[in-house]
């Protein structure tokens, strides 16, 4: 089984973005620059977000777990951003609802079945009250180390 790569270049803290498209572009570009995804990834990601939103209200902070079709991915990877100010995503449960998202976990996965394992781990990571608040206050190098240790990438 191939590893899901979490690189330090794809972990952002205090990311400034005026909307979700801008935030997702920064994350996607970081994966593209490292050769993990195809050029088509970002556009596909934005199109998928319209039809299948990925916002989720966690215990203490809104998060998003965007992803797109595996055909746009070369190497399994994860990019994470803690935003300086929340941006609006539509709720994955009811897309009529908006969620103020502070943390984004962008998945680049080459097989659609892989997202279940990493999603489960992300949900475990965020379900404890206060854990997202802690994540959102970590310095970048600490957040990278924490994610690398906490999320099993196999």
């Amino acid at each position: 089984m191939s590893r899901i790569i979490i690189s330090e270049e794809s972990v952002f803290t205090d990311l400034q973005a005026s909307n979700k498209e801008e935030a997702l572009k920064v994350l996607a570009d970081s994966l593209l620059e490292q050769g993990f995804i195809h050029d088509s990834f970002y556009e596909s990601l934005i199109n998928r977000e319209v039809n299948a939103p990925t916002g989720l209200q966690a215990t203490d902070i809104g998060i998003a777990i965007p992803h797109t079709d595996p055909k746009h991915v070369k190497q399994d990877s994860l990019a994470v951003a803690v935003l300086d100010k929340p941006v609006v995503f539509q709720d994955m449960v009811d897309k009529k609802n908006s969620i103020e998202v502070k943390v984004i976990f962008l998945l680049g996965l080459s097989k659609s079945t892989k997202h279940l394992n990493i999603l489960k781990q992300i949900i475990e990571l965020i379900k404890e009250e206060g854990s997202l608040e802690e994540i959102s206050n970590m310095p970048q190098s600490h957040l990278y180390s924490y994610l690398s240790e906490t999320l099993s990438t196999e």
Side-chain angles (χ1 to χ4, degrees):
M1 188 182 294
S2 68
R3 292 182 61 241
I4 298 171
I5 295 175
I6 303 172
S7 70
E8 198 161 358
E9 295 80 20
S10 295
V11 176
F12 298 87
T13 53
D14 294 321
L15 181 67
Q16 296 181 354
S18 53
N19 56 44
K20 71 180 172 197
E21 291 81 8
E22 198 176 307
L24 293 175
K25 181 81 169 118
V26 170
L27 291 173
D29 283 352
S30 77
L31 296 179
L32 183 63
E33 287 166 11
Q34 296 171 79
F36 299 151
I37 59 172
H38 295 284
D39 291 349
S40 56
F41 183 90
Y42 175 74
E43 188 177 336
S44 176
L45 184 68
I46 295 302
N47 291 337
R48 187 186 184 288
E49 197 64 37
V50 170
N51 300 312
T54 59
L56 180 64
Q57 187 58 55
T59 53
D60 46 358
I61 287 179
I63 69 164
I65 310 173
H67 52 283
T68 193
D69 296 326
K71 68 182 179 185
H72 303 286
V73 176
K74 295 179 188 177
Q75 167 67 53
D76 296 324
S77 49
L78 173 67
V80 179
V82 176
L83 304 171
D84 72 330
K85 293 186 191 106
V87 297
V88 174
F89 274 74
Q90 298 319 113
D91 188 334
M92 69 169 61
V93 177
D94 181 356
K95 61 181 171 180
K96 292 187 292 273
N97 293 335
S98 296
I99 294 180
E100 294 278 318
V101 167
K102 176 90 171 152
V103 181
I104 302 171
F105 296 89
L106 175 61
L107 305 176
L109 302 175
S110 61
K111 290 191 177 77
S112 53
T113 53
K114 279 195 174 189
H115 78 280
L116 296 176
N117 184 34
I118 195 78
L119 275 177
K120 192 168 86 175
Q121 291 179 56
I122 291 169
I123 298 301
E124 284 296 313
L125 183 77
I126 63 166
K127 75 178 185 183
E128 236 177 274
E129 184 124 12
S131 64
L132 279 169
E133 192 65 45
E134 187 181 335
I135 286 170
S136 65
N137 290 316
M138 287 180 185
Q140 192 270 346
S141 61
H142 186 179
L143 179 59
Y144 166 69
S145 298
Y146 176 76
L147 293 171
S148 297
E149 292 165 15
T150 309
L151 299 175
S152 166
T153 56
E154 294 298 325

